[in-house]
């Protein structure tokens, strides 16, 4: 019809040179973010309404960083296979690994326990073993993360409204909700060493002041954790996820 302008649907993917990025649009974003997954998946987070030409230009400017991250993950090799929860397997916790022993149900009153320097898992759980293990990690994550947030919040001058440990998918270790001031962390964070756990905690608390990763954000992190770059690099070098 005359006088009616049809809007183009926002693009869902963006190809720059030989790389293809999934595009996610957000009304709340003010800046462009790029993430590189351990499996090589590429994603761009962009403010809704940003012209495709500007998006491509911004992504192209970050290609050297993207290629470095892809090379780092390739050097790490393929992600580890999922755990089978069999006797003798080693499970990670706070940067260490512990031998898994299958024991008779009822020996410690819970499906999974860490005692005597080893994990003890009740026999006969079969398909429910993973759920029992995830429950154990999630409970430990809630306790540890709440304690570390309580420790660092005054140092960051932050007052979170709540601390949550849950499954955040495969791309995020933590999320800060600027509207509710709740900080959420992936329960798998407690598989990492304590110094990396603390880095992610400080990172998310700093987001209560600065929503973006600008100079003021990193200055606030550095004020509390001067060696944050070493910790961030250590997290990247360890790969993004275990395969619980």
């Amino acid at each position: 019809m005359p006088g009616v302008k049809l809007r183009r649907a926002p693009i869902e993917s963006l190809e720059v040179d030989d790389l293809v990025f999934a595009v996610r649009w957000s009304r709340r974003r003010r800046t462009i973010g790029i993430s590189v997954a351990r499996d090589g998946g590429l994603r761009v987070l962009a403010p809704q309404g940003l012209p495709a030409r500007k998006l491509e230009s911004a992504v192209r400017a970050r290609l050297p960083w993207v290629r470095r991250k892809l090379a780092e993950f390739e050097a790490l090799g393929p992600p580890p296979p999922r755990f089978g929860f069999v006797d003798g397997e080693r499970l990670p916790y706070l940067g260490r690994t512990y031998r898994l022993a299958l024991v008779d149900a009822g020996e410690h009153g819970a499906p999974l326990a860490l005692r005597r320097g080893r994990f003890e898992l009740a026999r006969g759980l079969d398909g429910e073993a993973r759920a029992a293990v995830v429950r154990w990690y999630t409970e430990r994550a809630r306790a540890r993360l709440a304690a570390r947030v309580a420790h660092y919040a005054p140092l960051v001058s932050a007052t979170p409204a709540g601390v949550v440990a849950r499954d955040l998918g495969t791309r995020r270790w933590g999320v800060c909700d600027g509207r509710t001031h709740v900080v959420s962390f992936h329960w798998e964070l407690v598989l990492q060493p304590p110094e990396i756990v603390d880095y992610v905690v400080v990172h998310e608390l700093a987001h209560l002041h600065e929503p973006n990763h600008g100079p003021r954000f990193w200055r606030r992190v550095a004020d509390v954790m001067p060696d944050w770059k070493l910790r961030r690099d250590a997290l990247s070098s360890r790969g993004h996820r275990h395969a619980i």
Side-chain angles (χ1 to χ4, degrees), residues 158-170:
T159 309
V163 181
V164 177
R166 60 188 177 92
D167 190 335
L168 293 177
T170 61

Side-chain angles (χ1 to χ4, degrees), residues 14 16 32 51-62:
L14 175 68
V16 182
I32 297 170
R53 292 190 306 277
K54 289 187 177 181
L55 180 61
E56 180 180 351
S57 177
V59 171
R60 188 175 294 281
R62 297 290 304 280

Side-chain angles (χ1 to χ4, degrees), residues 194-218:
E195 62 271 18
I196 289 180
V197 175
D198 285 358
Y199 162 70
V200 177
V201 166
V202 170
H203 186 114
E204 296 307 325
L205 288 175
H207 274 311
L208 290 173
H209 294 282
E210 303 292 339
N212 301 314
H213 294 113
R216 289 189 302 180
F217 171 85
W218 292 116

Side-chain angles (χ1 to χ4, degrees), residues 183-236:
V183 287
S184 300
F185 302 93
H186 201 301
W187 59 263
E188 282 193 11
L189 192 55
V190 292
L191 278 57
Q192 300 291 341
E195 62 271 18
I196 289 180
V197 175
D198 285 358
Y199 162 70
V200 177
V201 166
V202 170
H203 186 114
E204 296 307 325
L205 288 175
H207 274 311
L208 290 173
H209 294 282
E210 303 292 339
N212 301 314
H213 294 113
R216 289 189 302 180
F217 171 85
W218 292 116
R219 280 197 298 269
R220 188 174 291 273
V221 173
D223 285 344
V224 177
M225 190 170 284
D227 64 343
W228 66 269
K229 287 185 179 180
L230 294 176
R231 302 186 191 217
R232 182 190 63 182
D233 292 347
L235 178 59
S236 296

